[in-house]
Amino acid sequence: MSSPSNLKRRYRADKRFKLYGIAAIAFSLCFLTFFFVDIIGKAIPAFEQAYIQVPVTYNEALKSNYNKAIPKAYRRLVSKAFLRTLPQKLEAHPELLGTTQPEWALANHRVDQFLKQHEGHGLKKKYRSKVEQLYQEDKIEFRFNANFFSRGDSKMAENAGVLAAVMGSVLVLLITILVAVPIGVMTAIYLEEFAPDNKFTQAIEVNINNLAAIPSILYGLLGLAIFINVMGVPRSSALAGGLTLALMTLPVIIISTRAALRSVPQSIRDAAYGLGASNLQVVMHHVLPLAFPGILTGSIIGLAQAMGETAPLLIVGMMAYIPEAPSSILNAATVLPAQVYTWSSESMRAFEERTAAGILVLLVVLLSLNALAVYLRKRFEVRW
Amino acid sequence: MSKAKISVSNLKLWYGNNEALHGIDVEFQAKKVTALIGPSGCGKSTLLRCLNRMNDRIVGCRVDGNVLLDGNDIYAPDVDVVELRTNVGMVFQKPNPFPKSIYENIVYAPQIHGMVDKTGMDELVETSLRKASIWDEVKDKLHEPGTALSGGQQQRLCIARTIAVKPDVILMDEPCSALDPIATAKIEELIDELKSEYTIIMVTHNMQQAARVSDHTAFFYMGDLIEFGNTSDIFTKPQQQQTEDYITGRFG
Amino acid sequence: MMTTADVFTWFISAIASLSIIAFVYARFTAIKIEQQEGRLHSRPNFFGWYAVSRLCVPTLGLAFLYSIFHMAGLINSNLLLFCVSFGAGFIYLFLGLKHLHKDFRARQAVEKVSRRLFFLAALISIFTTLGIVFSVLFEAFRFFTIVPLWDFLTGTSWNPDTAFLIGAGRDEGGAVPEFGSLPIFAGTFMITIIAMLVAVPVGLFAAIYMSEYASHRVRNMLKPTLEILAGIPTVVYGFFAAITISPLVVHAAEAFGLQADFTNALAPGLIMGIMIIPFISSLSDDVIRAVPQPLRDGSLALGTTHAETIKNVVLPAAFPGIVAAFLLAVSRAIGETMIVVMAAGLRPNLTANPLEGVTTVTVKIVEALTGDQEFDSAFTLAAFALGLVLLIITLVLNIGSTIVVRKFTQRYE
């Protein structure tokens, strides 16, 4: 018999052990909260952008030098992205010539960051009082930053947006789906329904498990060496990126499709075989439709993984400066995570909040995709 | 005895290196019910699955010997198993309707075999369900899922689905083992009706059932056919000691 | 002149429309035969698919051969591509059309082709592995003709800057480039160790709590929540480590009177560890739950506390699975790229101080392959040599985890 004091000690040890578990969970949850609060806090300012009211004089000089359209005092406060549109505007509306109009112009990122009171805004001392005065007079106001969603990348932070990167991501993922899903599903069908049980089949299975564990950056090396250097796919193109990610996603899709196929009960196959359905008919008419929700879920998860992937895409050159959405899969493109990466290495303070905002967009899409996968799994889960 | 529908001679079967059937010779009569009985693992289900080559799919399964259906070897190299299985239908231990509507369950096989055009479908569904004595219970819910029926109804749906292909032979692998006594009684009644048109070979664990519904009975033990004969003879005056021990419940 | 994209589009449209024609023709022929001569062996649709397969197999096969020769630079004639591949397809199709009669086993023919198609798909995963191995091996081999393997593995100084000039033929008698990879691997392992020091205790205790203490409902909420950590893109973690955690580490170090670099090893290591927590916790949770209940009951019935049962019975039984999870997690940490690219340093540094900046294998690969590439310069090729080592390490870890699971998992039946 153990003495009561010994028992007490053992119970204390028991409690402590459970506490370690709670602490581990709490640590993870705290980190998750801290992480989201930090990212969202950094991102929110990016959704507002300063606009400044300036008198624009439409004169002949503007056609050759757009800086001449506004008074000198404003030139350092207004974004070039606004000024360079003026010559076209004058061409489209010749009646404006010789007039002076008050117009709301996109403010320079320094003005924007200064008014948001961010450290490292970079606005020179001599402009600060002027900006504050304009802000008091309501000649500067903050508006929803629609440019962030309607523009591509730009060297002018105030004009930079995620549109080109989002379009790039869509193109890349489209290629990834079109290549990886059919091949992955067919591989899984072969392994589950057709393959003879021999050494070669086992080799394929071992190989797929290994592929799933290979670091993504090595897929980048494959993409660079095979797709770009040997097959001549243009560097930085959505095609190069999409094919690389397709190979990377393949094991995920194969593994989840096999699980889905395996969950279809043998009795359904027996029933169909017993009625004289052929091998292919059993798969196409019965097994595949029943496994479809599982395949869909697995594909969405694989897709979400591919969407957040950056490293292999850097290797195939998808971190180029892309101000316009790509028009074809052979043109240079960038993707959302790569855009986040390039912005994060920019020194201008305004890019930091844009990086965070880009991250927020990425996270919202990814978490929605994952939630969709969970929902589909719950919705179509069949108990046999 | 009348002409044999299926005759099996010297049939041996291996799972890997394990010989599961040691040279079976047996003849199944047309339009009769033959029951295969014996303790678990005796090879009766294995034999049944040889008759429509469902064993083909099992890895490492090898068959030697002859199985003649109407005088044609079903293991001959030019035999199409798909055609074979349309002639030799099968009903399984656990009811396994497709997770589709009752209607689709019935028309699936005739459709893939191109046996019937669109106009004949409704008629085929009705006759099949009627023959399986389930029409009255389901005629108002033909488009509801087959899986929503009770176990006994599901099994009769599976029988109807098999009949829809118009087979000559129906194999039944313990068709009542997952059912309650009332549902079992209905299936047994149905089997009795069906034998006027079909050759039925059934595996059963339930000796009363074998005695009730079958014309012939084959007793298997350890991969050998011990005794085969008229059901009444087997149950009243078995020739072999092992058969007697089994049917009197001394082992098994 | 047609671009590759044009050729591709034309080829695909041509083969698609011809396939439709072949399908419809064969199907109608079959239906006609059925009306005149009685029931066919196979359904008319199979006849259609048979015709499609007769057309597509030689056409696509030859087009594939052509692309290989084209990539090798041996032939470049679109006319040749179209004539030969479609020509062969037509001939094969017409020979096949003779088979369209009542007893033709179109279904078997189609099934054979489709089974081969599935098999080809399965081969792609093999080719992917071969592709990775050979692309890395080939360039790495070229690297080792310039830099001796021994120097690469044991050298303590990585200073490749001048290699780029030599490769470009502008060697102005500067310093000799050095490719000693030891400091790079030291940095990789330091960050990996930091990550595992975070991930293993937290992940393991989280798994123990979820599988042994938490109610079913709580567990069902906690598990997906923790898995969010694994779903966050690594580029996001990299930003977070560089912008938020690194300054925190520097300030904390200052509070203790220590000097820390902004590219210290601690920040990426910590964040990588957090990223790996769900990896360890999910896999461990699964193996802990696979330990049969009777084993626990037996121990509890002897009068042990819950914690003692877990420590003495459950964890030892689950140990092989946990080790396998650990090995996979290490391989994940070593191969992780974005966190270290954004938060760790670029300068190879042989140090044991986690507050200093270190660099890693993946950082060097990214550095060498983004921007200008010269495939005859050791600077670019070094990336492939590093990639080769990375590949070998991950394969060994992965195979190791498989062996651990196979050899040491207890069977409870």
Side-chain angles (χ1 to χ4, degrees):
Chain A
M1 281 292 282
S2 39
S3 66
S5 69
N6 180 16
L7 202 59
K8 230 179 233 166
R9 190 176 53 72
R10 282 171 58 197
Y11 271 121
R12 271 204 306 277
D14 190 45
K15 276 224 178 77
R16 225 181 304 131
F17 198 69
K18 185 178 175 183
L19 266 175
Y20 293 150
I22 294 176
I25 299 275
F27 171 78
S28 311
L29 296 184
C30 284
F31 172 82
L32 208 57
T33 318
F34 174 53
F35 169 82
F36 276 103
V37 168
D38 183 69
I39 293 286
I40 293 172
K42 285 199 166 82
I44 281 177
F47 295 108
E48 274 195 330
Q49 168 66 40
Y51 282 77
I52 182 165
Q53 197 181 42
V54 289
V56 179
T57 312
Y58 291 95
N59 48 24
E60 284 295 333
L62 151 69
K63 286 181 183 165
S64 53
N65 182 357
Y66 50 67
N67 280 327
K68 299 236 162 95
I70 57 172
K72 234 183 184 153
Y74 284 98
R75 277 183 203 160
R76 287 299 193 164
L77 307 181
V78 171
S79 172
K80 277 208 174 61
F82 169 76
L83 292 176
R84 70 183 177 194
T85 60
L86 291 176
Q88 281 123 297
K89 193 175 173 191
L90 183 56
E91 224 163 90
H93 304 278
E95 72 276 8
L96 289 173
L97 193 65
T99 63
T100 299
Q101 313 270 349
E103 287 193 27
W104 283 100
L106 189 62
N108 188 299
H109 66 92
R110 291 188 194 91
V111 174
D112 180 66
Q113 294 298 304
F114 172 68
L115 286 173
K116 285 174 182 165
Q117 295 173 348
H118 288 161
E119 251 174 75
H121 51 73
L123 188 68
K124 285 195 180 130
K125 273 220 173 79
K126 56 179 174 179
Y127 299 116
R128 289 182 194 171
S129 54
K130 169 84 172 166
V131 167
E132 269 165 357
Q133 183 204 336
L134 285 170
Y135 190 54
Q136 295 301 323
E137 292 169 2
D138 287 337
K139 294 261 170 74
I140 296 182
E141 63 175 40
F142 279 95
R143 296 183 186 172
F144 176 68
N145 188 1
N147 282 354
F148 184 71
F149 296 100
S150 61
R151 299 273 161 90
D153 197 7
S154 170
K155 294 291 181 207
M156 293 162 277
E158 66 276 8
N159 195 41
V162 289
L163 185 68
V166 168
M167 296 308 288
S169 273
V170 169
L171 270 187
V172 167
L173 289 179
L174 220 55
I175 295 167
T176 303
I177 299 175
L178 288 178
V179 175
V181 173
I183 295 178
V185 171
M186 273 159 62
T187 304
I189 290 177
Y190 177 75
L191 291 175
E192 282 300 312
E193 309 285 338
F194 293 104
D197 186 23
N198 59 22
K199 286 258 184 275
F200 189 69
T201 307
Q202 284 165 17
I204 297 180
E205 289 178 356
V206 170
N207 172 54
I208 287 166
N209 289 333
N210 276 331
L211 277 182
I214 285 182
S216 61
I217 189 168
L218 291 178
Y219 285 93
L221 295 186
L222 166 82
L224 177 62
I226 306 283
F227 295 137
I228 296 177
N229 286 355
V230 175
M231 286 167 64
V233 176
R235 195 159 179 244
S236 305
S237 67
L239 186 61
L243 289 176
T244 307
L245 288 188
L247 292 186
M248 198 195 81
T249 316
L250 204 51
V252 181
I253 293 179
I254 295 173
I255 290 168
S256 58
T257 304
R258 288 189 72 183
L261 292 174
R262 229 175 289 149
S263 74
V264 175
Q266 190 58 36
S267 66
I268 294 292
R269 292 184 181 83
D270 279 346
Y273 282 121
L275 290 170
S278 68
N279 216 330
L280 190 65
Q281 285 170 329
V282 171
V283 172
M284 290 299 173
H285 297 166
H286 299 285
V287 180
L288 210 49
L290 290 174
F292 182 72
I295 296 173
L296 192 65
T297 310
S299 304
I300 292 174
I301 288 171
L303 193 70
Q305 226 177 65
M307 189 175 175
E309 196 55 67
T310 323
L313 298 180
L314 297 188
I315 305 294
V316 298
M318 296 199 72
M319 51 176 291
Y321 168 67
I322 309 289
E324 299 277 333
S327 57
S328 115
I329 57 170
L330 298 175
N331 290 0
T334 191
V335 292
L336 200 46
Q339 184 74 76
V340 165
Y341 173 66
T342 36
W343 280 349
S344 76
S345 47
E346 293 279 353
S347 55
M348 276 178 272
R349 181 59 180 77
F351 274 116
E352 190 181 310
E353 62 183 41
R354 277 175 168 72
T355 310
I359 285 173
L360 201 57
V361 173
L362 187 62
L363 285 179
V364 166
V365 176
L366 287 183
L367 290 179
S368 325
L369 276 178
N370 280 310
L372 179 70
V374 171
Y375 169 77
L376 286 174
R377 183 159 32 195
K378 287 256 153 62
R379 171 83 175 68
F380 292 104
E381 200 168 45
V382 187
R383 294 241 167 264
W384 299 98
Chain B
M1 277 191 187
S2 59
K3 183 179 138 297
K5 181 73 184 172
I6 295 179
S7 85
V8 176
S9 55
N10 197 23
L11 185 74
K12 290 181 182 166
L13 182 141
W14 293 264
Y15 292 124
N17 291 322
N18 176 23
E19 190 173 302
L21 295 177
H22 320 294
I24 305 289
D25 294 281
V26 64
E27 295 197 330
F28 298 105
Q29 307 302 315
K31 304 205 172 157
K32 297 281 184 216
V33 178
T34 307
L36 313 181
I37 61 169
S40 304
C42 67
K44 54 192 192 303
S45 285
T46 302
L47 175 67
L48 193 76
R49 287 172 156 261
C50 283
L51 303 181
N52 69 344
R53 290 181 59 176
M54 285 294 279
N55 283 335
D56 282 17
R57 299 236 335 131
I58 297 172
V59 176
C61 175
R62 215 153 34 83
V63 177
D64 186 41
N66 283 319
V67 179
L68 305 180
L69 172 68
D70 295 325
N72 303 313
D73 185 1
I74 66 169
Y75 281 94
D78 64 330
V79 166
D80 184 354
V81 286
V82 167
E83 252 171 307
L84 169 69
R85 289 178 192 152
T86 59
N87 287 325
V88 183
M90 186 154 190
V91 176
F92 297 85
Q93 194 169 354
K94 238 182 77 194
N96 53 358
F98 300 126
K100 299 179 177 190
S101 73
I102 294 170
Y103 191 93
E104 285 170 307
N105 262 284
I106 303 286
V107 299
Y108 171 69
Q111 251 171 359
I112 61 168
H113 300 309
M115 287 172 170
V116 67
D117 52 15
K118 288 222 161 43
T119 51
M121 293 288 188
D122 292 346
E123 200 191 319
L124 176 77
V125 170
E126 186 177 338
T127 49
S128 307
L129 289 169
R130 270 189 199 287
K131 278 189 189 165
S133 317
I134 192 182
W135 171 251
D136 292 329
E137 289 158 65
V138 300
K139 65 182 176 207
D140 299 322
K141 45 182 179 181
L142 288 178
H143 295 284
E144 284 172 32
T147 41
L149 297 172
S150 74
Q153 289 173 324
Q154 286 190 12
Q155 194 63 301
R156 276 179 286 151
L157 172 62
C158 291
I159 294 175
R161 181 175 71 182
T162 307
I163 293 170
V165 196
K166 301 189 173 69
D168 294 336
V169 181
I170 300 177
L171 307 176
M172 296 190 178
D173 190 358
E174 301 189 38
C176 302
S177 66
L179 305 179
D180 61 60
I182 297 170
T184 301
K186 280 195 175 156
I187 302 272
E188 286 179 7
E189 214 175 291
L190 172 59
I191 291 171
D192 206 47
E193 284 168 27
L194 290 174
K195 75 174 181 187
S196 62
E197 274 186 72
Y198 306 96
T199 305
I200 296 174
I201 303 167
M202 68 185 290
V203 165
T204 178
H205 254 113
N206 179 335
M207 276 168 291
Q208 285 80 12
Q209 186 173 60
R212 278 195 301 267
V213 300
S214 69
D215 302 298
H216 304 292
T217 296
F219 172 61
F220 287 84
Y221 183 64
M222 304 276 280
D224 282 307
L225 175 64
I226 306 298
E227 197 168 346
F228 178 80
N230 287 325
T231 301
S232 50
D233 296 343
I234 295 271
F235 279 91
T236 52
K237 39 182 192 296
Q239 305 295 308
Q240 302 289 327
Q241 187 61 41
Q242 281 162 317
T243 317
E244 190 175 344
D245 288 350
Y246 181 69
I247 59 176
T248 53
R250 242 169 263 164
F251 75 91
Chain C
M1 185 60 208
M2 289 208 286
T3 65
T4 314
D6 290 338
V7 175
F8 188 76
T9 316
W10 276 105
F11 189 86
I12 294 296
S13 333
I15 198 158
S17 41
L18 287 171
S19 293
I20 294 171
I21 294 170
F23 181 89
V24 171
Y25 174 76
R27 190 172 178 279
F28 271 97
T29 314
I31 291 174
K32 219 159 62 196
I33 296 172
E34 186 155 57
Q35 280 162 355
Q36 287 162 357
E37 302 173 37
R39 222 170 86 77
L40 299 169
H41 170 275
S42 303
R43 295 289 78 225
N45 275 350
F46 280 111
F47 283 79
W49 286 115
Y50 172 70
V52 172
S53 72
R54 291 290 285 205
L55 172 71
C56 290
V57 168
T59 310
L60 292 176
L62 285 168
F64 181 71
L65 269 184
Y66 171 86
S67 0
I68 289 178
F69 282 116
H70 180 72
M71 277 185 279
L74 294 176
I75 37 176
N76 185 12
S77 157
N78 296 327
L79 193 67
L80 184 77
L81 165 69
F82 278 85
C83 289
V84 171
S85 58
F86 279 104
F90 280 135
I91 293 169
Y92 197 58
L93 174 61
F94 279 119
L95 292 177
L97 289 180
K98 274 196 270 175
H99 294 151
L100 301 189
H101 54 72
K102 184 165 155 283
D103 293 322
F104 175 57
R105 298 189 167 189
R107 183 173 39 80
Q108 269 92 333
V110 171
E111 301 222 327
K112 209 161 102 187
V113 172
S114 55
R115 192 170 306 134
R116 289 193 181 152
L117 192 68
F118 289 129
F119 178 66
L120 276 182
L123 281 188
I124 287 181
S125 64
I126 296 266
F127 283 123
T128 306
T129 307
L130 291 180
I132 290 177
V133 170
F134 281 108
S135 58
V136 173
L137 207 59
F138 183 66
E139 308 287 0
F141 185 73
R142 283 175 59 193
F143 174 77
F144 288 124
T145 58
I146 307 172
V147 179
L149 178 63
W150 189 247
D151 293 359
F152 174 74
L153 289 179
T154 61
T156 56
S157 170
W158 181 276
N159 193 10
D161 294 348
T162 49
F164 196 62
L165 297 178
I166 295 170
R170 290 202 285 117
D171 174 24
E172 275 124 28
V176 181
E178 292 171 298
F179 287 98
S181 63
L182 223 47
I184 296 176
F185 285 104
T188 307
F189 287 121
M190 184 198 283
I191 290 181
T192 304
I193 288 167
I194 296 170
M196 298 319 284
L197 285 178
V198 175
V200 171
V202 177
L204 199 53
F205 274 107
I208 291 171
Y209 181 76
M210 285 195 295
S211 53
E212 294 287 328
Y213 291 102
S215 69
H216 193 65
R217 209 172 58 89
V218 171
R219 182 179 172 277
N220 277 351
M221 272 161 37
L222 281 180
K223 207 172 180 183
T225 313
L226 281 191
E227 275 166 8
I228 292 179
L229 286 173
I232 293 171
T234 54
V235 67
V236 176
Y237 276 125
F239 175 74
F240 186 72
I243 300 291
T244 307
I245 302 296
S246 272
L248 279 182
V249 170
V250 172
H251 294 314
E254 270 168 11
F256 287 101
L258 296 168
Q259 182 79 36
D261 294 344
F262 270 96
T263 56
N264 59 69
L266 204 51
L270 286 174
I271 292 301
M272 201 187 282
I274 285 168
M275 180 189 83
I276 292 173
I277 289 173
F279 203 75
I280 300 242
S281 71
S282 284
L283 288 175
S284 306
D285 179 50
D286 290 344
V287 290
I288 290 174
R289 277 155 49 87
V291 175
Q293 192 60 35
L295 227 58
R296 288 186 190 91
D297 293 345
S299 168
L300 289 170
L302 292 173
T304 59
T305 65
H306 198 165
E308 286 162 348
T309 300
I310 295 170
K311 272 186 276 191
N312 300 327
V313 176
V314 177
L315 288 185
F319 192 66
I322 294 172
V323 171
F326 172 78
L327 292 178
L328 286 178
V330 170
S331 108
R332 164 91 35 126
I334 291 177
E336 173 45 41
T337 309
M338 291 320 292
I339 295 177
V340 283
V341 165
M342 293 165 82
L346 276 174
R347 191 171 59 87
N349 186 1
L350 199 56
T351 175
N353 180 359
L355 296 177
E356 282 183 35
V358 295
T359 196
T360 72
V361 176
T362 46
V363 171
K364 285 291 145 190
I365 295 176
V366 170
E367 189 197 7
L369 294 180
T370 50
D372 291 328
Q373 296 168 1
E374 295 287 340
F375 273 85
D376 45 10
S377 130
F379 179 72
T380 300
L381 294 178
F384 289 88
L386 290 170
L388 178 63
V389 180
L390 185 60
L391 180 65
I392 292 171
I393 293 175
T394 39
L395 282 184
V396 166
L397 285 170
N398 191 35
I399 291 167
S401 81
T402 318
I403 291 174
V404 167
V405 169
R406 260 200 211 141
K407 281 251 159 99
F408 300 105
T409 302
Q410 291 171 31
R411 299 262 164 266
Y412 299 109
E413 284 95 74

